[in-house]
């Protein structure tokens, strides 16, 4: 649990790394001779980037594998059971895993690029092997972000719609409360009349009662909400989300044009002016603040999209119902996403701040075709997700008008949910 907490702290540091660097650059530009901010300099920021890279490598390749193997270990046969025996078995497993990975890389290097320079570079673990391995992990994290972030950007509207109170347009909340109360009383009477022999039916009725109570709670919350909260906060938040998403797509489109006409737009090898020498945004401090907001928005959207994917849907942690193995897996996933966030932000052109330390040594950042393809895919997939999100209601109505709604052409898994009605028959939601 301590190692998982430390890994989450490293993830938070990796997320805050780029916004802290951007705002530090603007502060140094605004107050270049101020005595009280002399501690804020380029060497400090470079050191923070190197420490973030070091601890990310340490958590990803040492601490989290150690936590997983320690959780599964029991101690070697013949040794006295206890913490020492489990730690010994975990260390042996880590050494064997490191040898296995190193052997696989050696075999792959011999098959692909069998020359003296390639083999000698493998002996330099600290300067070549670990940065190269972390570069591959970063590429995987960026590809995962490419998959999660567009889904999360479209999913954010649904999430905020569930958290906020929607406007009551052409709705009678009193009538809905009356209906839901009658439904709750009917299910409660059926539950009281079920004998203990029919256990399965009782469990189904209890689940149905919980759903009805949840709906009733939501209706009570909507009824108690003020007119300002209903009619002002909800539209303002939705418009703000739409503006932020549109600006993100627009910046990616502009970055694609920069990549085609200017080679310094590449995230690697541009060699910026340095910390505190020039503003990285065209609009100065306001542009830097907008970049920071967009970076946090992309991170939140990527996490929401990660847990919205069907493959990771059962991976979502739940209160009082999450195993330690699942906690370790979630910490590793968050660490990979947060470590790849500065790389993705620079690759997409959200910010012009150059990647510092070991983050700028990733091999694939200098490949023009990979960077251009990444920008194009992000812009296209995000646009398609948003179009699908905002046209889903119109598409459903067209299917109903054409009589095709019975063919279940919708991709929404919730459309096919069924629940027992009060008279025992099945009705489709």
């Amino acid at each position: 649990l301590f190692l998982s907490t430390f890994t989450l702290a490293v993830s938070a540091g990796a997320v805050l790394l780029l916004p802290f660097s951007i705002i530090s650059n603007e502060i140094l530009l605004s107050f270049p001779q101020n005595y009280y901010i002399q501690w804020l300099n380029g060497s400090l920021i470079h050191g923070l980037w190197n420490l973030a890279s070091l601890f990310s490598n340490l958590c990803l390749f040492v601490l989290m594998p150690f936590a997983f193997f320690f959780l599964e270990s029991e101690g070697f046969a013949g040794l006295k059971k206890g913490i020492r025996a489990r730690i010994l078995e975990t260390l042996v497993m880590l050494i064997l895993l490191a040898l296995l990975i190193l052997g696989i890389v050696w075999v792959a290097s011999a098959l692909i690029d069998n020359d003296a320079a390639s083999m000698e570079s493998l002996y330099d673990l600290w300067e070549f092997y670990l940065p190269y391995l972390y570069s591959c992990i970063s590429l995987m994290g960026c590809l995962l972000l490419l998959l999660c972030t567009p889904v999360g950007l479209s999913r954010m509207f649904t999430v905020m719609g569930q958290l906020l109170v929607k406007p009551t347009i052409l709705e009678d909340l009193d009538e809905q409360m009356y209906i839901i109360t009658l439904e709750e009383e009917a299910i409660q009477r059926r539950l009281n009349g079920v004998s203990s022999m029919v256990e399965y039916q009782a469990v189904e009725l209890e689940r149905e009662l919980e759903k009805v109570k949840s709906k009733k709670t939501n209706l009570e919350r909507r009824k108690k909400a003020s007119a300002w909260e209903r009619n002002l906060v909800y539209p303002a938040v939705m418009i703000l989300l739409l503006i932020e998403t549109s600006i993100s797509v627009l910046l990616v489109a502009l970055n694609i044009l920069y990549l085609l006409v200017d080679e310094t737009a590449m995230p690697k090898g541009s060699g910026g002016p340095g910390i505190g020498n020039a503003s990285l945004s065209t609009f100065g401090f306001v542009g830097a603040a907008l970049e920071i907001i967009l970076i946090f928005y992309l991170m939140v959207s990527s996490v929401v999209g990660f847990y919205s994917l069907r493959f990771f849907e059962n991976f979502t942690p739940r209160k009082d119902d999450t195993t330690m193995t699942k906690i370790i897996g979630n910490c590793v996933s968050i660490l990979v996403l947060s470590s790849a966030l500065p790389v993705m932000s620079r690759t997409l052109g959200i910010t012009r701040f150059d990647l510092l330390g070991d983050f700028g040594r990733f091999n694939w950042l200098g490949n023009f075709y990979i960077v251009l393809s990444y920008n194009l895919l992000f812009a296209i997939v995000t646009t398609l997700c948003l179009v699908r999100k905002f046209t889903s209601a119109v598409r459903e109505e067209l299917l109903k008008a054409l009589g095709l709604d019975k063919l279940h052409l919708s991709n929404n898994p919730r459309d096919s949910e069924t629940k027992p009605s009060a008279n025992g028959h099945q009705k489709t939601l």
Side-chain angles (χ1 to χ4, degrees):
L1 187 62
F2 172 76
L3 295 178
S4 300
T5 306
F6 179 75
T7 302
L8 280 182
V10 173
S11 303
V15 171
L16 297 173
L17 188 64
L18 192 57
F20 176 77
S21 303
I22 295 173
I23 198 170
S24 299
N25 184 69
E26 298 300 326
I27 290 176
L28 289 174
L29 281 175
S30 302
F31 309 99
Q33 304 298 330
N34 195 319
Y35 172 77
Y36 296 101
I37 60 170
Q38 292 301 313
W39 58 272
L40 192 62
N41 48 39
S43 61
L44 172 65
I45 297 175
H46 275 270
L48 289 176
W49 280 75
N50 288 325
L51 285 176
S53 176
L54 175 63
F55 284 120
S56 297
N57 280 282
L58 184 66
C59 292
L60 196 59
F61 299 122
V62 179
L63 298 185
M64 285 292 95
F66 179 86
F68 176 77
F69 287 130
F70 180 79
L71 194 67
E72 301 294 329
S73 64
E74 298 178 356
F76 291 113
L79 295 178
K80 184 179 179 180
K81 302 299 181 182
I83 297 296
R84 291 185 178 180
R86 295 179 63 186
I87 291 177
L88 179 61
E89 181 184 352
T90 303
L91 292 176
V92 172
M93 290 295 297
L94 284 177
I95 293 173
L96 292 177
L97 180 63
L99 291 176
L100 176 63
I101 295 177
L102 188 62
I104 292 174
V105 173
W106 272 4
V107 172
S109 178
L111 293 176
I112 299 173
D113 191 12
N114 188 14
D115 56 358
S118 177
M119 297 304 296
E120 287 180 1
S121 62
L122 292 175
Y123 292 101
D124 195 354
L125 297 180
W126 187 259
E127 292 294 330
F128 178 81
Y129 181 73
L130 287 179
Y132 183 77
L133 187 60
Y134 190 60
S135 177
C136 297
I137 298 295
S138 174
L139 178 59
M140 293 174 59
C142 287
L143 293 178
L144 185 61
L145 283 175
L146 180 62
L147 183 64
C148 299
T149 308
V151 177
L153 289 175
S154 61
R155 179 71 178 162
M156 283 292 290
F157 294 92
T158 304
V159 173
M160 297 307 296
Q162 294 172 352
L163 296 177
L164 299 175
V165 178
K166 298 180 181 180
T168 54
I169 302 175
L170 302 177
E171 283 185 301
D172 190 351
L173 294 180
D174 293 329
E175 182 181 357
Q176 293 184 22
M177 282 291 298
Y178 179 71
I179 293 174
I180 205 72
T181 303
L182 291 179
E183 189 175 354
E184 181 184 4
E185 293 176 354
I187 296 175
Q188 189 66 51
R189 284 195 299 269
R190 291 184 60 200
L191 187 60
N192 295 333
V194 173
S195 62
S196 58
M197 299 296 293
V198 192
E199 183 178 354
Y200 174 77
Q201 189 175 0
V203 172
E204 290 294 327
L205 287 175
E206 288 177 356
R207 291 178 181 174
E208 187 64 26
L209 185 61
E210 290 296 327
K211 293 180 181 179
V212 172
K213 288 182 178 180
S214 177
K215 292 180 181 179
K216 186 178 179 180
T217 303
N218 292 333
L219 284 175
E220 290 175 350
R221 180 168 174 263
R222 293 183 62 187
K223 191 174 180 181
K224 293 178 181 179
S226 62
W228 288 97
E229 186 179 357
R230 288 197 305 263
N231 302 322
L232 183 62
V233 176
Y234 181 84
V237 171
M238 290 299 163
I239 292 174
L240 183 62
L241 290 178
L242 184 60
I243 292 174
E244 290 181 347
T245 307
S246 303
I247 292 176
S248 301
V249 177
L250 180 62
L251 288 177
V252 175
L254 292 176
N255 188 56
I256 293 174
L257 295 178
Y258 287 143
L259 287 172
L260 294 175
V261 300
D262 189 4
E263 61 180 9
T264 59
M266 290 289 293
K268 184 177 181 180
S270 56
I275 306 297
N277 294 327
S279 179
L280 302 171
S281 175
T282 308
F283 301 101
F285 194 84
V286 177
L290 179 61
E291 291 178 0
I292 293 174
I293 293 174
L294 290 178
I295 290 171
F296 282 119
Y297 180 57
L298 290 178
M299 184 60 198
V300 174
S301 301
S302 64
V303 174
V304 171
F306 176 78
Y307 290 113
S308 299
L309 296 176
R310 293 184 181 181
F311 185 75
F312 300 105
E313 191 173 359
N314 296 327
F315 211 52
T316 307
R318 305 183 189 279
K319 184 180 180 181
D320 299 329
D321 190 25
T322 307
T323 61
M324 198 64 215
T325 305
K326 188 179 290 187
I327 291 176
I328 293 173
N330 278 276
C331 291
V332 172
S333 303
I334 297 298
L335 178 63
V336 171
L337 291 177
S338 59
S339 299
L341 179 67
V343 184
M344 186 193 75
S345 301
R346 180 66 181 91
T347 305
L348 294 178
I350 302 297
T351 178
R352 294 293 170 187
F353 190 88
D354 288 327
L355 301 171
L356 302 177
D358 293 333
F359 282 87
R361 298 172 57 186
F362 297 153
N363 297 328
W364 59 273
L365 289 177
N367 193 312
F368 172 77
Y369 298 102
I370 292 179
V371 174
L372 181 62
S373 302
Y374 193 89
N375 282 264
L376 287 172
L377 284 174
F378 184 88
I380 293 173
V381 174
T382 303
T383 305
L384 290 178
C385 288
L386 290 177
V387 170
R388 181 181 180 274
K389 174 67 179 178
F390 288 108
T391 59
S392 59
V394 179
R395 187 172 62 251
E396 294 296 332
E397 292 299 326
L398 287 176
L399 291 176
K400 290 180 181 179
L402 297 175
L404 301 177
D405 56 322
K406 298 181 181 179
L407 298 178
H408 302 291
L409 298 177
S410 175
N411 294 324
N412 192 352
R414 296 177 178 83
D415 292 345
S416 59
E417 274 189 16
T418 59
K419 68 173 184 178
S421 63
N423 57 5
H425 296 286
Q426 296 288 331
K427 63 180 181 180
T428 303
L429 287 177

